[in-house]
Amino acid sequence: MAEISLGRALNRALHDALDGDPDVLVYGEDVGALGGVFRVTDGLTATFGEDRCFDSPLAEAGIVGTAIGIAMYGQRPVVEMQFDAFALPAFEQVVSHVAKMRNRTRGRVELPLVIRIPYGGGIGAVEHHADSSEAYFAHTPGLRVVTPATPADGYSMLREAIECPDPVVFLEPKRRYWATADIELPVRTEPMDRAVVRRPGTDVTLIAYGPMVATALEAAEAGQREGRDIEVIDLRSLSPFDEETVTESVRRTGRAVVVHEASTFGGYGAEVAARVTEQCFHYLEAPVLRVGGLDIPYPPPKLESYHLPNADRILDAIDRLQWESEWVPGGTGGQPPLHQTGVGA
Amino acid sequence: MKRTDELAGSAPPLPSQEPIRLVDPQGHRVGEAEYLTPEPGTLLALLRAMIIGRRFDRQASALARQGRLAVYPSSHGQEACQVGGVLALADDDWLFPTYRDCVSLVTRGVDPVEVLTLLRGDWHSGYDPEPHRCAPQCTPLATNASHAVGLTYAARRKGQDAAALVLMGDGATSEGDAHEAYNFAAVWNTPVVFLIQNNRWAISVPVDKQTAAPTLAHKAIGYGMRGYNVDGNDAAAVHAVVSHALAEARAGGGPAIVEAQTYRLDPHTNSDDPQRYRDDAEVEYWKARDPLTRLEALLRGEGLLDDAEVERMSAEGERLAADVRERLSGPDRLTPEELFSHVYSTAPAMLRRQRQELLDEMRKG
């Protein structure tokens, strides 16, 4: 066993995928000599040569567009978008072609490509370096959209994404790049399209993914001290959505809160809340709540802590789940005081 | 790293302002030493494919008027570009067509009824790309160009020398994707020929509102590519120049832009009204430069073609048109449950459920 960060686990996954299959290619901006701005591709060019891991022109639509052609010819490109908002020039290629190629050709052409996007905030980055674009991608049929929250999942899910015959948008929670775990690589965790219960509990289900899984676990720990037994689900796959795991949990706990750091309005959490309500209505003790980022453009770094959900906001939401019979929706009576756990942020 | 002053000698030449032409509008040779006029057999093949292609295009337009196609973007008048380009390809090469390039697909050997699937509205692409090496027709502009770059890059990695021909219109050259594709192709030195069919109009917007470049072929210079300006109604010239560019690219000379000067005689699609934006005199000017009559005149003038041969080619076109008419005359055979079959390699539970719900709905009527 060794202490391994998410960033190193992803690096090892790319290394092992390149080693195991000559059709795997890694390219993007600065992924060669520099090893990527987050060093996720560190050492790959040195080990495998310029033919397998290389710098491309600085052009995201071109990177994804050429990856489509490479995948059409039966190879497996893994491309890096460097930062979330910089993936937007490639959005048309992703939505109009990557997501649809299998369907428009009646299954005759598949695109086994992976688009890696470091996403989300919390690292003090400037504008356009901290967005969460998962809802845009998850809204598009034909894409698989996944996001690991742990080093073990980082390794396992990236290997699986590269092996997958479908195109995968692989969202890397950049503020967890340096989070470590004591694991032995290579490792294979649960299948990529399954959610997992990170922490069992009986009172309420927290549904989180990517950067918010750790925050949800913090909240659950703090909640434990207040006598709440909180279950935490890590979705892992945003599309397809693992309804089975989520539904089973919420039917058991009767309460659910969805947590993500992207802006709340029209966000991925709305989809989860709607589905949970449809599937679990008669088991619910309270409405499904969302804890998401503020509905503002991503804030400047010195203000981002006001935007990002933390453990306190999650615990406040849990408190609003009608634990007390005197609580009136929309009213103020009976509502407990806001939490100040000092954890999170 | 080369210094700027060392680069001056290696820059590709500027494309000529006057398009390269091998056959004038009256059907006479105007030899250009650099580009060999195709052999008689190739010239006959070009004429045959243009006659068949035009008949197909006329038939498809008629089917659109009858409501049997949802829409049809005609390429009437642009046959020399599509036929000249496609017949320059080797079997292993790939074609990346747009929605206006149905004639190119028919020329490549794709079943004409499958070519029309997209426009009939049965499915987004009706043919299997692999057998004829034809990518699905692209409706967004210029987005297919980078696919061709990636595909040929992958082919080269495998030690195969497949080249690609990307068809695009004048309007498409304004899109950012065109720029990125040209640049990737040049930097990666992949064997791709971008054939711009400059048919003067992007729906209602004329080419002089599209670009300030002297010709669209000039765009090649900024990417370090070769650019060719060719008479797009001269099938011999298009074929010769595309063949030349493909040969250069295959030999490691890098990609090229070929701009073909042509004209869209028909509306943008059957639902467009070109009288709002262009005058008849312009259309008449281009009608007098018809690519079919030009090549036919050359071949007849040189004793390579007689009435009987033209008759045979026309009959072939008629048979194809009749076959298309007949096969598209029946009722739609739609399979709605197929909507769920190709979204993912394995349908997720949500799609399996929606499929079942749709089947139940259909059963109930």
Side-chain angles (χ1 to χ4, degrees), chain A residues 22-23 25 27 51-52 54 56-57 59-63 65-66 68-70 72-73 75 92-93 97 101-109 140-144 165-166 239-240 243 275 279, chain B residues 94 96 117 122-129 135-138 140 143-144 146-147 149-151 153-155 157-158 160 162 177 180 183-184 187-188 338-339 342-346 348 350 353:
Chain A
D23 281 335
L25 300 180
Y27 68 98
D51 177 49
R52 306 293 306 285
F54 51 93
S56 69
E60 291 78 9
I63 291 170
T66 51
I68 291 169
I70 291 171
M72 278 177 77
Y73 213 76
Q75 299 180 26
E92 183 188 10
Q93 288 287 353
H97 294 301
M101 186 65 83
R102 172 185 291 279
N103 192 60
R104 60 206 285 244
T105 62
R106 293 195 139 120
R108 285 151 175 163
V109 178
T140 305
L143 299 176
R144 290 182 187 273
D166 297 325
S239 179
E243 212 164 69
R275 282 187 179 270
Q279 300 296 322
Chain B
W94 275 75
F96 286 77
T117 306
D122 293 359
W123 201 262
H124 300 306
S125 176
Y127 50 90
D128 181 352
Q137 281 172 286
C138 193
T143 51
N144 60 345
S146 55
H147 306 176
V149 179
L151 183 136
Y153 181 85
R157 278 196 78 238
K158 284 209 180 278
Q160 296 158 0
D177 279 274
E180 296 194 18
N183 192 49
F184 265 81
V187 173
W188 287 1
E338 194 190 356
L339 292 170
H342 317 298
V343 185
Y344 297 95
S345 52
T346 324
M350 186 174 84
R353 191 165 60 226

Side-chain angles (χ1 to χ4, degrees), chain A residues 175-176 206 212 214-223 225-226 230 259 291 305 308-319 338-345:
Chain A
R175 69 159 127 165
R176 305 291 175 200
L206 284 183
M212 278 294 122
T215 313
L217 287 168
E218 281 172 35
E221 286 300 318
R225 294 195 288 275
E226 299 176 6
I230 299 169
V259 188
V291 176
S305 64
L308 295 170
N310 57 25
D312 287 335
R313 284 193 192 160
I314 295 169
L315 288 169
D316 288 341
I318 289 172
D319 286 342
L338 292 180
H339 280 84
Q340 290 298 326
T341 62
V343 299

Side-chain angles (χ1 to χ4, degrees), chain A residues 223-291:
Chain A
Q224 184 81 43
R225 294 195 288 275
E226 299 176 6
R228 304 259 199 249
D229 190 10
I230 299 169
E231 178 147 310
V232 176
I233 288 182
D234 175 357
L235 283 181
R236 302 167 85 248
S237 173
L238 307 184
S239 179
F241 173 66
D242 178 3
E243 212 164 69
E244 195 184 331
T245 302
V246 173
T247 303
E248 189 282 322
S249 170
V250 177
R251 288 185 177 182
R252 194 158 33 72
T253 62
R255 291 175 171 85
V257 178
V258 195
V259 188
H260 58 60
E261 68 170 67
S263 296
T264 312
F265 184 87
Y268 186 76
E271 178 63 38
V272 177
R275 282 187 179 270
V276 168
T277 305
E278 286 167 8
Q279 300 296 322
C280 311
F281 185 74
H282 295 291
Y283 299 82
L284 287 172
E285 305 280 346
V288 181
L289 296 185
R290 289 171 291 163
V291 176

Side-chain angles (χ1 to χ4, degrees), chain A:
Chain A
M1 304 288 259
E3 281 289 309
I4 293 167
S5 68
L6 174 61
R8 291 306 298 170
L10 294 167
N11 176 265
R12 176 71 189 279
L14 291 172
H15 175 281
D16 291 357
L18 285 163
D19 201 33
D21 181 355
D23 281 335
V24 174
L25 300 180
V26 174
Y27 68 98
E29 297 150 13
D30 306 300
V31 300
L34 181 67
V37 292
F38 292 104
R39 307 291 181 267
V40 173
T41 55
D42 190 27
L44 298 179
T45 301
T47 307
F48 297 99
E50 284 256 3
D51 177 49
R52 306 293 306 285
C53 177
F54 51 93
D55 291 325
S56 69
L58 197 164
E60 291 78 9
I63 291 170
V64 173
T66 51
I68 291 169
I70 291 171
M72 278 177 77
Y73 213 76
Q75 299 180 26
R76 293 181 178 267
V78 183
V79 295
E80 178 176 299
M81 293 283 101
Q82 198 158 82
F83 280 97
D84 31 55
F86 300 162
L88 298 179
F91 195 64
E92 183 188 10
Q93 288 287 353
V94 177
V95 171
S96 295
H97 294 301
V98 172
K100 291 177 179 165
M101 186 65 83
R102 172 185 291 279
N103 192 60
R104 60 206 285 244
T105 62
R106 293 195 139 120
R108 285 151 175 163
V109 178
E110 56 185 26
L111 295 183
L113 64 88
V114 178
I115 302 169
R116 293 182 38 243
I117 309 178
Y119 83 117
I123 63 164
V126 295
E127 196 183 15
H128 301 127
H129 290 68
D131 294 332
S132 296
S133 42
E134 66 269 26
Y136 302 126
F137 295 113
H139 184 62
T140 305
L143 299 176
R144 290 182 187 273
V145 183
V146 304
T147 176
T150 67
D153 268 357
Y155 180 88
S156 182
M157 289 168 72
L158 186 50
R159 292 296 307 274
E160 203 181 329
I162 295 169
E163 288 159 8
C164 180
D166 297 325
V168 180
V169 174
F170 194 88
L171 299 170
E172 299 172 5
K174 62 173 88 76
R175 69 159 127 165
R176 305 291 175 200
Y177 271 140
W178 303 275
T180 58
D182 206 17
I183 51 167
E184 191 75 54
L185 294 181
V187 67
R188 285 298 175 125
T189 57
E190 296 79 0
M192 182 175 76
D193 56 0
R194 295 309 301 260
V196 298
V197 175
R198 286 279 169 231
R199 181 189 197 281
T202 54
D203 296 347
V204 54
T205 303
L206 284 183
I207 302 161
Y209 55 86
M212 278 294 122
V213 173
T215 313
L217 287 168
E218 281 172 35
E221 286 300 318
Q224 184 81 43
R225 294 195 288 275
E226 299 176 6
R228 304 259 199 249
D229 190 10
I230 299 169
E231 178 147 310
V232 176
I233 288 182
D234 175 357
L235 283 181
R236 302 167 85 248
S237 173
L238 307 184
S239 179
F241 173 66
D242 178 3
E243 212 164 69
E244 195 184 331
T245 302
V246 173
T247 303
E248 189 282 322
S249 170
V250 177
R251 288 185 177 182
R252 194 158 33 72
T253 62
R255 291 175 171 85
V257 178
V258 195
V259 188
H260 58 60
E261 68 170 67
S263 296
T264 312
F265 184 87
Y268 186 76
E271 178 63 38
V272 177
R275 282 187 179 270
V276 168
T277 305
E278 286 167 8
Q279 300 296 322
C280 311
F281 185 74
H282 295 291
Y283 299 82
L284 287 172
E285 305 280 346
V288 181
L289 296 185
R290 289 171 291 163
V291 176
L294 305 178
D295 294 318
I296 54 171
Y298 197 89
K302 289 181 178 171
L303 296 170
E304 70 180 342
S305 64
Y306 296 97
H307 166 72
L308 295 170
N310 57 25
D312 287 335
R313 284 193 192 160
I314 295 169
L315 288 169
D316 288 341
I318 289 172
D319 286 342
R320 289 199 299 276
L321 287 171
Q322 299 185 17
W323 300 96
E324 325 297 342
S325 54
E326 63 268 32
W327 184 74
V328 180
T332 52
Q335 206 161 346
L338 292 180
H339 280 84
Q340 290 298 326
T341 62
V343 299

